[in-house]
């Protein structure tokens, strides 16, 4: 992976984690030592970029978001969050079976 791809992956992960965190952009950046303008730039850049996977034009786009656990007290929070392109979010306390996730992806087609 080249530097450009690594940088994009790094910021894609932070933009996703920030959206899933429920924190303001300022609070998220302050807690992680990130630049607010940089996060804002990448948010806009990634928003206008084509999604990495699009099987069809009318299908919902699902994004799996890795949750960063701040402290052991937060451990009981959802271990999987699924966010749709239209802003809906589904939190699962435990990982669903792999075949369920596969069926979810197949059902979107």
């Amino acid at each position: 992976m080249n530097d450009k791809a690594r940088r994009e992956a790094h910021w894609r992960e932070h933009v996703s984690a920030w959206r899933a965190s429920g924190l303001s952009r300022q609070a998220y950046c302050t807690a992680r030592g990130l630049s607010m303008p940089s996060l804002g730039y990448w948010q806009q850049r990634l928003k206008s970029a084509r999604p990495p996977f699009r099987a069809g034009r009318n299908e919902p786009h699902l994004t799996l978001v890795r949750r960063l656990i701040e402290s052991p007290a937060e451990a009981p929070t959802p271990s999987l969050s699924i966010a749709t392109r239209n802003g809906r979010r589904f939190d699962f306390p435990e990982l669903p079976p792999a075949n369920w996730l596969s069926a979810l992806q197949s059902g979107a087609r």
Side-chain angles (χ1 to χ4, degrees):
M1 185 183 291
N2 63 31
D3 286 341
K4 184 177 177 181
R6 260 193 296 274
R7 188 171 43 253
E8 181 174 328
H10 167 81
W11 284 104
R12 183 179 302 279
E13 190 171 305
H14 275 295
V15 168
S16 294
W18 164 60
R19 286 181 178 148
S21 74
L23 297 172
S24 69
R25 188 168 67 190
Q26 181 176 6
Y28 181 86
C29 289
T30 300
R32 287 158 185 82
L34 298 173
S35 161
M36 271 187 34
S38 293
L39 185 64
Y41 166 80
W42 281 97
Q43 175 194 10
Q44 288 303 313
R45 180 173 171 173
L46 296 170
K47 182 176 165 181
S48 63
R50 186 175 179 183
F53 171 77
R54 240 175 71 173
R57 294 181 183 193
N58 296 325
E59 297 175 17
H61 178 77
L62 300 176
T63 304
L64 298 180
V65 179
R66 186 176 79 179
R67 177 136 166 45
L68 301 175
I69 297 176
E70 297 295 322
S71 69
E74 291 188 34
T77 59
S79 61
L80 173 68
S81 293
I82 298 177
T84 64
R85 185 178 289 176
N86 64 359
R88 291 190 176 139
R89 183 174 151 179
F90 303 92
D91 294 325
F92 297 87
E94 298 176 359
L95 289 176
N99 60 348
W100 183 88
L101 289 172
S102 178
L104 178 67
Q105 180 65 33
S106 298
R109 294 182 187 169

